[in-house]
Amino acid sequence: MITDELIVKTPVVKEIAECKEIFWENDRAGDSFEDNIVDIDEAEARLVRFAPFIKRKFSKPEDGIIESTLREINQMKNALGMNIPGRLFLKCDSHLPISGSVKARGGIYEVLKFAEKIAIDSGMLTTEDDYGKLADDEFRELFSKYKVAVGSTGNLGLSIGIISAAIGFQVTVHMSADARQWKKDMLRSKGVTVVEYPDDYEAAVAQGRAEAAKDPSCHFVDDENSLDLFAGYSVAGKRLRKQLDDAGVTVDEKHRLYVYLPCGVGGAPGGVTYGIKHYFGDNAYCFFAEPTHAPCMTLGLVTGLHNRIAVGDIGIDGRTEADGLAVGRPSGLVSQAMENRVTGCFTVNDEKLYPYLAALKDSEDIFIEPSACAAFEGLKYTCGKQSRSFPAPDDNSVHIIWATGGDMVPEDEKKTYYEKGTLLMKKQEEGCE
Ligand SMILES: *Cc1c(COP(=O)(O)O)cnc(C)c1O
């Protein structure tokens, strides 16, 4: 039995296999690493070139740069009812323009890059041009000969579907069974072809990849292996540095940064972490949050097997209400890149997500989806804790909860989530008495 062997080598696997909540500290965090997986400046420059196109096609963002606010959440800090030394911020990727999730970073970037290559290869565009012209009919005509495909649990599909349709690509989203109905409906309303699979996410991706491979005009956005996605996410580190500077928030060896990121296949939190470590180095500590029933990145890192192990291999079902995180096998590319960058990983029970969701809504009037709420749990593992791989936060520390999604969720679903959270909160309070 594979689990028994793993447990002998790495005892924490036993708790992971039992779907217990765990915190794992990465002893290799801080080992030196080569900082050359992607070129963040190049990716940022490409997004700047595309700003006039984004402005023409979408009412928001007004400047054509897809970025989210960084909000200090003092009311939530009080509501959490624990001692959190330092300042607490929410990075509102939940409200990123165009697709309302962190996928608006990597997903949109990859599709824009594909479009740019086609336009340049056709001789109709140079990087010196005003990219606003890519919205003209002659380009739409050009792009309509190409296809984009992606496999997704939901938010990546939304992001790729919306931007591809805006550019004029023929786009297909392969969706797993656990994807929400409203996401499928919304995509279809935008002219996106949605193919549904009875199996899990990995199967949807595999099908999508196989179909795209048969067609040379089709670009497959590969959530498990894409350097373009990774590059798009990594730009967040550069933008975050500027946002913190502008807000007068210092990060240095006396003012340390703690970042908590929900993790599915790993591209989003991995790319963001890559960017953050690039700009903040040893002054930043990044932690990944996963559901107890789908702890794929934790398992890949803990065992050192990366994408050569899936949660099913140790008998875990991968089922979680945190649909953005319902992934059984991590990206090998990302898992390896995180080996000496991520400070730690932790797992969260699904029921914990909803009280955070309701508390954030009550205290700050911000809605984020259940997946995104997993990040809050990380504060418990850092604040007031002594540890090998990071210093205990103090009054000079800066904490950032990376809110990865929420704005696109329909109102009735938001209400259901919120009510569930309120109910669970009441139960917890009663349980404490
Ligand atoms: C996709 C997603 C994540 C995780 O991103 P991965 O690249 O899959 O690790 C986290 N939260 C939400 C809401 C998401 O949609």
Side-chain angles (χ1 to χ4, degrees):
M1 181 68 188
I2 178 173
T3 316
D4 295 338
E5 283 166 35
L6 287 172
I7 290 169
V8 173
K9 266 194 239 150
T10 323
V12 70
V13 171
K14 180 167 189 290
E15 290 164 76
I16 297 173
E18 288 165 356
C19 293
K20 292 207 173 112
E21 290 190 333
I22 61 119
F23 175 71
W24 171 75
E25 254 184 73
N26 183 9
D27 286 322
R28 296 186 58 188
D31 285 5
S32 64
F33 49 77
E34 286 201 26
D35 201 11
N36 58 0
I37 299 178
V38 289
D39 186 335
I40 301 174
D41 290 326
E42 185 202 303
E44 163 74 349
R46 180 167 287 113
L47 290 169
V48 169
R49 288 200 291 278
F50 268 98
F53 170 78
I54 298 289
K55 262 203 294 201
R56 262 190 81 181
K57 294 301 285 192
F58 300 93
S59 57
K60 272 196 220 163
E62 272 158 35
D63 62 357
I65 298 293
I66 303 163
E67 192 43 68
S68 70
T69 54
L70 179 68
R71 221 174 110 170
E72 189 156 21
I73 45 170
N74 281 322
Q75 308 297 324
M76 180 63 174
K77 197 176 175 207
N78 291 334
L80 285 168
M82 59 178 287
N83 183 26
I84 302 168
R87 296 172 74 177
L88 180 64
F89 291 87
L90 191 74
K91 182 62 176 147
C92 299
D93 279 11
S94 46
H95 293 71
L96 274 172
I98 300 182
S99 76
S101 83
V102 68
K103 306 298 191 313
R105 296 185 183 279
I108 290 179
Y109 175 77
E110 175 153 351
V111 176
L112 294 179
K113 188 178 171 192
F114 179 54
E116 184 184 57
K117 181 167 191 317
I118 292 166
I120 289 176
D121 288 352
S122 75
M124 289 161 71
L125 181 78
T126 74
T127 54
E128 307 303 311
D129 292 347
D130 178 339
Y131 279 30
K133 75 179 189 182
L134 294 174
D136 293 347
D137 286 346
E138 51 170 344
F139 281 98
R140 223 186 147 74
E141 166 84 30
L142 171 70
F143 294 136
S144 71
K145 298 187 190 102
Y146 293 86
K147 296 175 191 154
V148 173
V150 65
S152 169
T153 58
N155 284 338
L156 183 65
L158 279 183
S159 182
I160 301 286
I162 292 170
I163 192 69
S164 298
I167 289 171
F169 290 132
Q170 301 171 52
V171 51
T172 304
V173 177
H174 301 266
M175 276 188 159
S176 48
D178 43 4
R180 308 272 161 170
Q181 189 59 41
W182 65 264
K183 291 181 180 169
K184 300 173 198 167
D185 295 343
M186 183 184 290
L187 283 172
R188 288 188 173 121
S189 79
K190 293 183 191 295
V192 174
T193 305
V194 177
V195 185
E196 298 178 52
Y197 295 90
D199 309 316
D200 65 358
Y201 164 82
E202 222 185 322
V205 173
Q207 277 288 337
R209 188 186 287 125
E211 275 182 36
K214 286 185 240 156
D215 184 346
S217 69
C218 183
H219 178 78
F220 180 69
V221 177
D222 192 338
D223 203 9
E224 292 172 354
N225 300 298
S226 169
L227 279 171
D228 288 341
L229 282 179
F230 196 81
Y233 291 123
S234 73
V235 172
K238 186 170 186 181
R239 304 247 185 95
L240 178 66
R241 185 178 61 172
K242 178 151 194 319
Q243 271 183 331
L244 288 168
D245 279 350
D246 291 349
V249 180
T250 309
V251 175
D252 60 21
E253 51 291 353
K254 292 208 179 71
H255 303 78
R256 295 192 174 95
L257 182 62
Y258 297 78
V259 188
Y260 310 89
L261 303 124
C263 179
V265 71
V272 172
T273 294
Y274 179 84
I276 287 174
K277 293 302 277 183
H278 179 83
Y279 290 102
F280 300 98
D282 290 340
N283 300 322
Y285 302 92
C286 296
F287 302 89
F288 288 0
E290 292 190 292
T292 49
H293 282 254
C296 66
M297 183 62 71
T298 306
L299 187 64
L301 285 168
V302 162
T303 58
L305 291 171
H306 305 301
N307 61 336
R308 298 191 306 279
I309 188 163
V311 300
D313 296 336
I314 59 167
I316 300 183
D317 58 12
R319 286 190 190 276
T320 167
E321 289 167 52
D323 47 349
L325 315 181
V327 179
R329 185 186 301 276
S331 156
L333 162 77
V334 176
S335 185
Q336 282 173 47
M338 291 303 108
E339 217 164 30
N340 38 22
R341 286 184 171 83
V342 76
T343 306
C345 297
F346 55 92
T347 60
V348 190
N349 281 327
D350 280 9
E351 317 85 76
K352 294 248 183 95
L353 306 175
Y354 299 95
Y356 285 126
L357 185 153
L360 187 66
K361 178 71 186 149
D362 287 342
S363 60
E364 304 279 349
D365 198 22
I366 302 174
F367 175 88
I368 65 175
E369 61 188 89
S371 297
C373 294
F376 279 108
E377 189 76 0
L379 294 163
K380 288 190 188 161
Y381 296 107
T382 56
C383 296
K385 296 286 184 315
Q386 288 301 328
S387 128
R388 297 185 300 273
S389 27
F390 59 92
D394 59 24
D395 291 342
N396 293 324
S397 299
V398 179
H399 303 271
I400 298 178
I401 301 292
W402 211 280
T404 41
D407 198 36
M408 301 286 271
V409 177
E411 287 307 319
D412 55 330
E413 302 242 352
K414 283 185 183 167
K415 195 157 163 281
T416 310
Y417 289 148
Y418 174 76
E419 280 165 2
K420 186 165 177 180
T422 311
L423 206 75
L424 283 165
M425 250 195 302
K426 274 210 196 95
K427 273 199 192 149
Q428 281 179 1
E429 279 161 20
E430 283 161 11
C432 290
E433 277 164 10

